[in-house]
Structures are given as structure tokens and as C-alpha cells.
Amino acid sequence: MSKTLIRAMILPMTGPDDFYPEGEIAIEGDRILSVGPKGSAPAGFVPDRVLDLPNDVVMPGLINTHTHAAMTMLRSYADDLPLMPWLTDKVWPFEAKMGKEDIYWGTKLALAEMILSGTTSMLDMYGDMDRVGDAVLETGTRAVLSRGMIGNAPNGEQAFQEQIELVENYHGAGDGRIQVMFGPHAPYTCSGEFLQKVKAEADRRGVGIHIHVAETLDEINTIKEQEGKTPVQWLNDLGIFGGHVVAAHCVHLTEEDINILAEKKVAVAHNPESNMKLNSGTAPVPEMIAKGVVVGLGTDGASSNNNLDLFGEMRSAALQQKLKKDSTALPAYEVLEMATIQGAKALGYEDIGMLAPGYKADLITINFDQPHFYPRFSIPAHLVYVAHAGDVRTMMVDGKFIMEERKLLTMDVKKICQEVEQRAKRIAAEFAD
Amino acid sequence: MSKTLIRAMILPMTGPDDFYPEGEIAIEGDRILSVGPKGSAPAGFVPDRVLDLPNDVVMPGLINTHTHAAMTMLRSYADDLPLMPWLTDKVWPFEAKMGKEDIYWGTKLALAEMILSGTTSMLDMYGDMDRVGDAVLETGTRAVLSRGMIGNAPNGEQAFQEQIELVENYHGAGDGRIQVMFGPHAPYTCSGEFLQKVKAEADRRGVGIHIHVAETLDEINTIKEQEGKTPVQWLNDLGIFGGHVVAAHCVHLTEEDINILAEKKVAVAHNPESNMKLNSGTAPVPEMIAKGVVVGLGTDGASSNNNLDLFGEMRSAALQQKLKKDSTALPAYEVLEMATIQGAKALGYEDIGMLAPGYKADLITINFDQPHFYPRFSIPAHLVYVAHAGDVRTMMVDGKFIMEERKLLTMDVKKICQEVEQRAKRIAAEFAD
């Protein structure tokens, strides 16, 4: 088994007071052996490789709890439009033209961008998820895959079958780097019957559910009209909650809704930039955290963001809450927890999201030897309010380096960028005239 | 005179349809000679140097219309606190300990960060502005300097005298790279009499006024109680408007206030991230633009931001307006105009803020050969919604390169970072009983 020792500043995310200004972390195989101050690695630990980065901060890899990776294909294709024309005239027609290989290359591009911005794990929802799984397996990151199923669409049943195949073929693949969840799209695109069928099948196969919930006021009004209750209450009454569920967005919630999410241990994926850009609203994040709801951070797809950068997302999460509530809302360390340990819990992992003995070696280093990181009064505040994607230097996933000095070790970046450029422009050209 | 030719993609900011995918820009001395497609440089133009950057976008340098550069010294010193304890227990006591040389080094750090994030010009307000001027002169960027004057403070008169000396010694320095404006702090910290004295002196010396206006609801209430009108109406009735005035923040405005700003040609410095972080509110930016008010972008000080990155600020400006109004508010190109040509107008320049013949050669190049800039559907959307500070590769100010390949050519970055680290920690230690 490979043995690596990293010497750097360490923010292990094991608690707000835990920080090693001159720390070292020992890694054996895919797991962390020890984390602590200089000299704390076990006696007898002889590393194959020592990485000396005294001006870098090592922290757990960031976790993106809600995205549609392949939508990088639509990045900056349509912006600044009203929601419905944006969807009906731009996004949906483009997506309808995307084939399996477009999704593969779009996902590769997303993974390249995620690695360069510090994200080691994602929860993805899209179609042709087998090719998404292939892209993740080749790249070496971690992912939870869900087949987006619009129950009310003509292909709802086919999507359900693909979801089942996805579980059979990819759940646990890559030494467990890949997990699968069922992905019914949303309360307003799936019938109660379809959702219950999905829940039964997911339970039978021992996997969770990833679903959009309470994203817009339109959704709230639609479900209230149809069912006489909020989307959260309707899903709860249908029996969808209980077990592992990730509800993406949760922008518009009543107090009762929050109580249900807390009681049923539904995790929430909060997507501040998408919620702002699409005028969805401001999710009650501090209120959910106060009631014990697990809240992770997500970027949503690159079509409504337009990047997959969780550093920007952390900053936006904090600023959005402070704008709505007051300047004390969602302090820096809490935001970092959302992007790491809370994200890990949301995705159902018990051994990622912090740097501690026995945890998987999923980590990043951030180059703090730059003007914007001086003076060094607060590492958490610097990471949330100052850092940007370009500051990430190194990434390790499952004990393997996949980026060093911003060079991607498992990807041909040039080829990926060219493929996406050609494929995306070819699709867009079909609508031009 | 030096002659430089840059070949790259060019976004000249001369109009929404102007873009040269394979462009070239010819620079002679400190000014732009020509901008256009490949081969457009005048016949007979023989450059000393050719810079070939086919995958970079060249655009005008960004303009920060409101900052307190030296406050980098307080970066991440205090965050997530209520406004008044943050100011009275943290910011003000720290600032009271800052000497002339602390301000010099804090400004040097700010300039390093600004260059690395694409900002060529700033409008600054602080104390000991002579040393700020020195830092700018050494560094080679462009700046408008204003001595912050709290008229009601014991040192109000002294600040006024320093402001006059600043005009005499620095206005027009560095071949015009430095300009000076008067800096009365705000309506709630200066009497009407003081403001009128400042206005008279500024007029006599032919320089403008830079003042905080309508930043918080507290300010609105205070001035309404004291004067029976809004801050904008009070300043207008005092005769402060007319001539060159930059009003920073303008978060809380009535329709009449906006009409006054438009009629009196008062420029506004919009600071979205500071306004969010301090819970000040959302400025009516689209409403001001619709009425013809010149609105630039600012970062405010690093104590309430906590960086000086205008790329982040552009993104936040757009997202904040979309959250408040709708997804069509403040489209990408308009945001870019705020950060370039509108910022230039706000600062009183007629020959920066766009790339056009006869304009000063203040420009940056952005490395678009990275995964997050593919596919290339919209350069403006990429710059506003995707780009981050680390993407800036090159900077030229006044025809001289001051950054290439992210190396600062006029600064000793290591020394600056060390100086600031030591000075800031020494000041903070004085409070750590």
C-alpha cells in the first residue's frame, strides 16, 4: 500500500477550533492514518512520498450535493432570460439533441472543472448516467449518480428501467467510489403513484432518492392546487421520506415543512447561485440548520450558474443569508461544514468530509501564499470570503493524487475542451437560422 | 515610443456587438493606436514586441469605483458580527492603531491583489493618502485618491488640510495616473456647513467629491430625523451636487432621489458584496441605469468583502439584482459596462474604460483556455458568471506591462505579504490582553 505524508497547514473540519498551522497528515492506501501537528505521524510510518507545502492549507475535498454535470454543454448558451422562455426555447430543445456521447464529454468537462476548483464528490442527476459513471470511473473522483426521471413524460417508464440498470451496473463500482440513488425529478413532474413505485424500488435495492423539492413559488402553488398541501407535506404523506433522501433546493418552506425534513432526516442540497440567478428565492438555511436538518451545498447545472465552483458557492451562500437576515447569519465555519462534512452526510457517506484517522483520503490543498490570503487572521473566513477556484493546487481522492500543481493527472484537458466545443457548437447550429 | 502588438480575442467594450475572435490591438506609447481584426494595425506599424495570446480575451482593465485599499490590513480580522460591535469593538480600534507605514503596506498589498484580479484603476478613500499615492506611483496603476474626512470628528479640520495638501502634491502626478477628489465621509458624519466648505474648496481647485450616501436604513432615518429629508435630497439642497460627484453605495433611494442623481449627473459606486455582507440591502441599480445614472462597481474595503476581486463583484451584482427583481435584470454585458466604461465615467476619465483608438492602453488579458471557459457560447456571460480572479494573465497600464503570466513586474510580492502579515498581527496583538 502506498504511504504519503503531507506537511502543510491543516484544517481538518473536525471542529471549529481544530487547526494545525504546522501540521502533517499520514495516508496509507486509500485512508487517512493520522492528522496532527508536525511529528504526529505514527512511529514507524515510512512514507513513499513526502509533499512539503508549508504555505498551503489542506482541507477535505469539497462535496457538490446537487448538479447536472453534463449541462456544462449549455454553459453561457442562454442567460438573462425569463424562466419559461429560457427553458422551453433554449435549454430543453438543446438537451433534446444531446446524445450519449455528448453527455459523456460534457461530464468529463464538468469533472475537469470540479477538480480544478476543489470538488472531489458530486451528487449528479441526468440521463445516460452509465456514461456519466464511466467518466467518473476514468477520472478517479467520487460520485453518487441518479437517473433523472420525469414520471409524467412519455419516457418515464424507460427512465425507470435505466435507473434500475444503473443500480445493477454501477452501484459500488470503482472500489465504492460510485454510488447510485433514484432520481425522480420533482413533485410537479411525477405522479404520486410513480413516486411511490420509485420509493418501493429504491427501498428494495437499498439505495436512496434524490429529488428537486420546493424550488419555485410556481411549484408550491401547483402542488397546493392539486393536492391541497405543500410539496414537502405531500411527499411525506406519500411515504417518500424516511430512509436516505436528498431534497434539492427547498427554497420555499413552511415551519411545518422544516419540522418534517428534520424529523424524517431528509438532507437538503442548497444551491444559492442558481436560486439567485433564476429568481427562485432565498432558502431558509439557518432555520433548517437550527432544527438539525443536514444542509449541503450544490452548484446546480452550469446552465443556471454558470460554473461548478463551490468556492464561489460558499461565498454566495453566506452573502445571500446575510442580505436576507443579518450580518451574523451563516458564519464562515458553518458554510465550510456545508461544503464538506454536511455534504458528506447528505450523500450518505460516513467516512469522507473531514480529515480524521480512518476516513478516506479525499483532500485538497489551497495555495495560501498569495496576496489575497494576507494577513492570515482567519483561515475559515479566508476560505469562504476570499478564496477562488484558481487557488486550489492539489487534489487526492481515495488516496490517489488526481491533480498536482493544477495539472490534471487523469484527464486529457485539451481533448476534452475541444470535444465539448465542437459538440456544443454543432448542436447549437441546428437551431440557428 | 514603445510599440506593442497584441493578438488575441478582443472584447473592446465599445458596444454589445463588438468582438474580434481573432483580433489585434496596436499600442504606441501610452495610447491605443488601433483595434480590430487580424491585419487591422496601420500599414507601417512595426512593433517592438508582439504578444500572441490566441486563447486569451483582451478587455479594458477593470475599474474599482469605491474602496479603502489599506483595509486589506483587516482582512478576515472580524466577520459574521452585528454591524455596530464589528465597527466599535474591532474595525475602529484596529484602524486607530494603524500608522502611515501600515497604510502604505496595506495599500501595496491591495494593489498586488487588484492587479492579479484585473483591476487597473481605483477610487480610494482613506487617511494618509500621500503614502497611498506613493504606493500607486511605484506600482504603475491608476488611482483617484480622496482623503476620508469625518467632519464631526476632532481631526475633521486636520483631515481637510491634508486633503488640500493631497490635491497640491498628487493631483496629476505620475503623468496623470493619479487624480484627487475630496472625500467627505458621509451625510451622517459631516455637518452641512462642513460639506459646503468642502464643496467650495473642491470647486475652487477643480476637483470632484467622493462621499458615502444612503448606505443603510439607519443613515436614512438619522438624516430624515435631523433634516426632514433623505440624504440625497439634503445633499442636493446643500448644493453639493453638480460638478463631479461619486456617491458610494446609494442602497436606499426614493424615486425622487434617483431623479436627482440623474439630473445632477451624480455617479454611483455600487458595492454589492459589502451591501450583502453587512445586510445593508439591494441598491436599485436597474432603476438608476434606466434613468441614465452612471453606475460603476466597487468592492468597498477588504474588511467587509473580504477581497478586492471585481470578477466576483460583477457576478454578485448580477445575482443580487436577479434575486430581487427577475432573471432578466442586469444582463451580463451591462455588468461588464459597469466594471469598465461606466466606472471610467464615474471616475471622470474620458480616455479609459474601452479599447478604442486614442484611448489609454489600460488593458488585461484573461486566459480562456481552461475547462470552465468551454464551450465558448458567450464571452460576456463567461466573464460575468464564470470567470474568477485567477484567470487574469496579463495587465498593461498606460502602455506599460505591469503583470505578465501572473508575475507582478513592479512589486516585490513576497516582501509585501511579509510586511503586512507582521504589521497586522502586531496591531491585533495589542488587543489580545
Side-chain angles (χ1 to χ4, degrees), chain B residues 340-357:
Chain B
T340 55
I341 184 64
Q342 297 301 315
K345 284 183 197 166
L347 267 54
Y349 291 103
E350 288 176 355
D351 55 1
I352 64 169
M354 54 168 78
L355 304 181

Side-chain angles (χ1 to χ4, degrees), chain A residues 125-409:
Chain A
M125 180 193 285
Y126 216 64
D128 293 310
M129 294 301 292
D130 51 332
R131 296 300 280 146
V132 174
D134 295 341
V136 173
L137 287 173
E138 293 163 14
T139 306
T141 56
R142 208 176 285 283
V144 182
L145 310 178
S146 54
R147 202 313 181 190
M149 300 179 285
I150 298 186
N152 300 343
N155 76 343
E157 192 51 39
Q158 186 199 325
F160 183 69
Q161 291 307 321
E162 288 176 16
Q163 174 74 74
I164 289 171
E165 285 166 30
L166 188 71
V167 178
E168 289 173 348
N169 299 332
Y170 285 84
H171 190 53
D175 300 323
R177 281 192 290 111
I178 302 233
Q179 303 289 313
V180 174
M181 293 174 81
F182 273 59
H185 176 262
Y188 62 96
T189 55
C190 297
S191 68
E193 201 185 358
F194 183 83
L195 288 167
Q196 286 175 323
K197 183 172 82 167
V198 165
K199 169 67 172 163
E201 193 65 29
D203 281 354
R204 189 173 309 132
R205 294 173 179 274
V207 301
I209 288 176
H210 175 205
I211 181 170
H212 298 86
V213 180
E215 181 175 0
T216 65
L217 279 177
D218 267 358
E219 173 186 343
I220 305 294
N221 294 335
T222 301
I223 301 298
K224 270 196 181 157
E225 216 166 274
Q226 283 173 14
E227 312 294 341
K229 41 190 130 175
T230 69
V232 167
Q233 287 155 26
W234 183 57
L235 290 171
N236 190 40
D237 291 347
L238 281 172
I240 306 305
F241 296 159
H244 180 206
V245 177
V246 176
H249 296 295
C250 290
V251 174
H252 301 282
L253 299 177
T254 65
E255 203 180 331
E256 193 191 334
D257 289 344
I258 298 177
N259 290 336
I260 291 171
L261 296 174
E263 188 197 323
K264 292 297 174 71
K265 298 194 187 309
V266 175
V268 170
H270 173 50
N271 305 275
E273 296 194 349
S274 170
N275 295 164
M276 285 192 262
K277 187 153 184 271
L278 301 180
N279 184 244
S280 305
T282 301
V285 174
E287 293 79 357
M288 289 192 274
I289 292 176
K291 293 226 163 141
V293 178
V294 167
V295 184
L297 263 188
T299 58
D300 210 352
S303 174
S304 59
N305 190 311
N306 303 349
N307 63 36
L308 306 174
D309 165 18
L310 280 174
F311 281 97
E313 211 70 35
M314 284 197 279
R315 182 178 180 75
S316 294
L319 294 180
Q320 192 184 8
Q321 294 301 327
K322 288 175 200 298
L323 174 65
K324 184 187 178 190
K325 291 177 71 77
D326 65 76
S327 55
T328 68
L330 214 52
Y333 194 81
E334 218 161 277
V335 178
L336 283 168
E337 288 182 321
M338 291 171 68
T340 55
I341 184 64
Q342 297 301 316
K345 285 183 195 166
L347 267 52
Y349 291 104
E350 288 175 355
D351 56 1
I352 63 168
M354 55 168 78
L355 303 181
Y359 274 62
K360 289 277 193 178
D362 285 15
L363 56 84
I364 56 176
T365 86
I366 294 128
N367 172 12
F368 261 56
D369 200 17
Q370 302 182 80
H372 57 294
F373 288 128
Y374 287 92
R376 290 186 186 159
F377 279 123
S378 163
I379 302 297
H382 274 11
L383 288 168
V384 172
Y385 300 124
V386 181
H388 54 74
D391 299 326
V392 182
R393 188 201 299 268
T394 320
M395 178 178 288
M396 175 182 270
V397 179
D398 224 31
K400 292 188 186 73
F401 287 107
I402 59 176
M403 176 170 71
E404 289 195 67
E405 299 294 343
R406 295 191 69 69
K407 294 280 172 292
L408 302 183
L409 305 178

Side-chain angles (χ1 to χ4, degrees), chain A residues 72-73 75-77 79-83 94 109 112-113 116 273 276-277 279 281-282 305-307 315 319-320 322-323 325-328 331-332 369 371-372 374-378 381-382 385-386 388-390 413-414 417 420-421 424-425 428, chain B residues 72-73 75-77 79-83 94 109 112-113 116 273 276-277 279 281-282 305-307 315 319-320 322-323 325-328 331-332 369 371-372 374-378 381-382 385-386 388-390 413-414 417 420-421 424-425 428:
Chain A
T72 53
M73 287 280 286
R75 192 200 313 273
S76 299
Y77 172 59
D79 298 284
D80 310 324
L81 297 172
L83 184 66
F94 190 108
L109 184 75
E113 182 187 356
L116 285 160
E273 296 194 349
M276 285 192 262
K277 187 153 184 271
N279 184 244
T282 301
N305 190 311
N306 303 349
N307 63 36
R315 182 178 180 75
L319 294 180
Q320 192 184 8
K322 288 175 200 298
L323 174 65
K325 291 177 71 77
D326 65 76
S327 55
T328 68
D369 200 17
H372 57 294
Y374 287 92
R376 290 186 186 159
F377 279 123
S378 163
H382 274 11
Y385 300 124
V386 181
H388 54 74
V413 181
K414 202 168 199 69
C417 293
V420 169
E421 181 73 8
K425 292 285 174 72
Chain B
T72 54
M73 287 281 285
R75 194 201 311 274
S76 300
Y77 173 59
D79 297 284
D80 308 325
L81 297 172
L83 184 67
F94 190 106
L109 184 75
E113 182 187 357
L116 285 160
E273 296 193 349
M276 286 193 261
K277 187 153 184 271
N279 184 244
T282 301
N305 190 312
N306 302 353
N307 63 35
R315 184 178 179 75
L319 295 180
Q320 192 185 7
K322 289 174 198 298
L323 174 65
K325 292 177 71 79
D326 65 74
S327 56
T328 69
D369 200 18
H372 57 295
Y374 286 93
R376 291 186 186 158
F377 279 124
S378 163
H382 275 11
Y385 300 124
V386 181
H388 55 74
V413 182
K414 202 169 199 68
C417 293
V420 168
E421 182 73 7
K425 292 285 174 72

Side-chain angles (χ1 to χ4, degrees), chain B residues 42-59:
Chain B
F45 179 79
V46 182
D48 314 317
R49 176 150 183 227
V50 177
L51 200 62
D52 262 311
L53 295 170
N55 277 301
D56 279 34
V57 169
V58 181
M59 65 176 289

Side-chain angles (χ1 to χ4, degrees), chain B residues 216-256:
Chain B
T216 66
L217 279 178
D218 269 356
E219 173 186 340
I220 305 294
N221 294 335
T222 301
I223 300 298
K224 270 196 182 158
E225 217 166 89
Q226 284 174 13
E227 313 294 340
K229 41 190 126 173
T230 69
V232 166
Q233 287 155 25
W234 184 56
L235 291 172
N236 190 41
D237 292 347
L238 282 173
I240 307 306
F241 295 159
H244 180 206
V245 177
V246 176
H249 296 297
C250 291
V251 174
H252 301 282
L253 299 177
T254 64
E255 204 180 329
E256 192 192 333

